[in-house]
Amino acid sequence: MSVSLGLPALPPPVLAPRRKSRKIRVGKVEVGGDAPVSVQSMTTTPTTNINATLQQIAELTATGCDIVRVACPSADDAEALPIIAKKSQIPVIADIHFQPKYVFAAIDAGCAAVRVNPGNIRKFDDQVKEIARAAKDAGVSIRIGVNAGSLDPRLLAKYGKATPEALVESAVWEASLFEEHDFHDFKISVKHNDPVVMVKAYEMLAERGDWPLHLGVTEAGPAFQGTIKSAVAFGALLSKGIGDTIRVSLSAPPAEEVKVGLQILQSLNLRPRKLEIVSCPSCGRAQVDVYSLADAVTEGLQGMTVPLRVAVMGCVVNGPGEAREADLGVASGNGKGQIFVRGEVIKTVPEAEIVATLIEEAERLAAEMDVPDEGAAPVVTVG
Ligand code: SF4
């Protein structure tokens, strides 16, 4: 058992203070201001299939998703919203394109928020007053979701393509309509599939108002490409304090989006780090199959939620150094593994016993660890 001295641990450093955005609510989740950056995803099941949708939401919730969005392209989907909104453990956002009437249906259904796309709902501008009043009365927030693929044709004609300026102009215009009707509980996204355009658009938008920003690289691609595009774009923005909620868009199961989103936030210390495997890339000096070893250790420690750093190193060049810096580590060589715990060699085991020993020691350390408060505010490193 570890002994707490009653001293609060310092929160880990972050790269920049958060941009000062206004705080809104998406159901029970706060977005903007000092609220932790939240992770969103979107269901892929037909919304009309209530059981399958709720099953997928449960899986997303278990993975760590904070907010979920469901598509609402038809009256049948709108009819499914009340049960989904009621039974979901996390706030549900209805995603509305083309048909303003479904915005009202989603508000009546008890959804926590509604996403509207100004480019797809020309009629929308005329209905902002009614939407703002209905949303305000119900305590529902809105996302103004501008998307490069569905930019308002007027702006496409003006700019020739979906430039950062065009995306921002669309968003600011729609925001001004809501603000004219004294509605302020909205966040904005300006998504593009090109991280460079997307980053520029968000940087420009961040200068124009204090709206909370929902980050997304739209149609980012299959898992590998989409993960990299999203990590690069979100990293560029979050490292400057821009971004209040994120959605990684992958052509992959939505739970994968959540895992990637959480990992991005953890890498930037915007979420407490959990299990971290530090493994070397291997090279001609390796005296063990590092890939298999790292995979086996990762597999064996899956589900561990404590902030444990485990080093898996292939030889004695960098191995002992990295293993010493980690909570737990192995430096392999000559058919053996030196096992380190908190900087000290505790034993040397035959290669065949490395994985089992690391897992056993990790479980022992995890049982001893105090898990930091998830809500602890991060510290800003200066210089
Ligand atoms: S730790 Fe050893 S095996 Fe791994 S990359 Fe470095 S030198 Fe190569």
Side-chain angles (χ1 to χ4, degrees):
M1 281 266 293
S2 64
V3 179
S4 167
L5 300 176
L7 296 173
L10 269 182
V14 294
L15 291 165
R18 288 273 293 284
R19 160 182 166 266
K20 291 199 188 320
S21 59
R22 79 171 74 126
K23 191 185 278 185
I24 66 165
R25 294 193 76 88
V26 177
K28 65 183 179 183
V29 177
E30 292 181 331
V31 175
D34 61 356
V37 178
S38 47
V39 174
Q40 308 199 13
S41 186
M42 188 165 179
T43 51
T44 55
T45 50
T47 305
T48 47
N49 189 339
I50 295 174
N51 283 343
T53 302
L54 284 170
Q55 177 64 39
Q56 198 170 54
I57 292 176
E59 193 190 331
L60 288 168
T61 307
T63 311
C65 187
D66 299 304
I67 297 169
V68 66
R69 187 155 44 107
V70 299
C72 184
S74 74
D76 288 345
D77 296 299
E79 272 177 30
L81 290 177
I83 299 181
I84 293 171
K86 185 161 182 239
K87 294 205 169 165
S88 169
Q89 298 118 304
I90 53 177
V92 172
I93 302 180
D95 192 68
I96 315 286
H97 295 256
F98 304 114
Q99 296 267 22
K101 65 182 177 190
Y102 296 143
V103 175
F104 299 102
I107 292 172
D108 290 344
C111 289
V114 179
R115 179 272 171 112
V116 298
N117 180 340
N120 271 353
I121 313 186
R122 289 285 297 276
K123 289 184 216 147
F124 225 29
D125 291 2
D126 306 330
Q127 300 208 22
V128 166
K129 185 176 177 187
E130 285 75 37
I131 291 171
R133 187 186 305 136
K136 196 176 225 175
D137 289 349
V140 165
S141 57
I142 301 273
R143 167 156 70 96
I144 297 173
V146 177
N147 198 310
S150 51
L151 190 64
D152 186 327
R154 291 169 292 190
L155 291 166
L156 261 188
K158 177 174 171 185
Y159 289 96
K161 59 181 181 175
T163 61
E165 291 77 9
L167 296 168
V168 170
E169 186 172 328
S170 175
V172 171
W173 163 254
E174 204 65 25
S176 72
L177 294 183
F178 278 99
E179 285 168 348
E180 265 173 33
H181 296 293
D182 198 26
F183 186 82
H184 304 276
D185 291 337
F186 61 87
K187 54 192 163 77
I188 304 183
S189 60
V190 280
K191 298 190 182 182
H192 197 288
N193 61 39
D194 181 333
V196 174
V197 178
M198 176 271 194
V199 168
K200 281 189 180 162
Y202 277 98
E203 283 176 344
M204 288 168 61
L205 187 61
E207 294 290 314
R208 299 286 298 273
D210 69 346
W211 313 291
L213 300 182
H214 163 122
L215 303 187
V217 176
T218 190
E219 293 103 28
F224 176 72
Q225 179 187 291
T227 297
I228 291 175
K229 276 184 164 187
S230 300
V232 167
F234 294 3
L237 291 164
L238 291 167
S239 65
K240 293 180 185 162
I242 298 172
D244 301 290
T245 183
I246 61 171
R247 191 259 170 123
V248 175
S249 300
L250 300 179
S251 305
E256 297 305 309
E257 299 183 345
V258 174
K259 288 182 198 165
V260 172
L262 288 168
Q263 191 64 51
I264 292 170
L265 296 181
Q266 286 176 30
S267 300
L268 292 165
N269 278 342
L270 292 170
R271 286 282 179 112
R273 290 193 185 167
K274 297 198 170 158
L275 178 67
E276 192 178 358
I277 307 287
V278 179
S279 58
C280 82
S282 187
C283 73
R285 294 183 200 94
Q287 294 172 350
V288 70
D289 179 352
V290 179
Y291 304 163
S292 311
L293 194 57
D295 281 349
V297 172
T298 306
E299 174 81 23
L301 297 181
Q302 236 184 22
M304 195 165 269
T305 54
V306 291
L308 197 69
R309 201 173 144 95
V310 181
V312 178
M313 306 296 288
C315 79
V316 292
V317 172
N318 290 324
E322 287 287 358
R324 238 179 230 117
E325 289 293 310
D327 297 300
L328 172 64
V330 61
S332 316
N334 290 330
K336 295 184 204 134
Q338 267 189 323
I339 307 291
F340 291 75
V341 173
R342 304 243 157 88
E344 303 293 332
V345 179
I346 57 153
K347 59 176 116 169
T348 300
V349 297
E351 193 176 314
E353 290 173 26
I354 291 174
V355 175
T357 309
L358 284 178
I359 292 170
E360 188 185 317
E361 289 300 324
E363 283 169 355
R364 192 177 58 73
L365 288 174
E368 286 179 5
M369 274 175 134
D370 286 332
V371 179
D373 177 10
E374 289 259 345
V379 168
V380 177
T381 334
V382 180

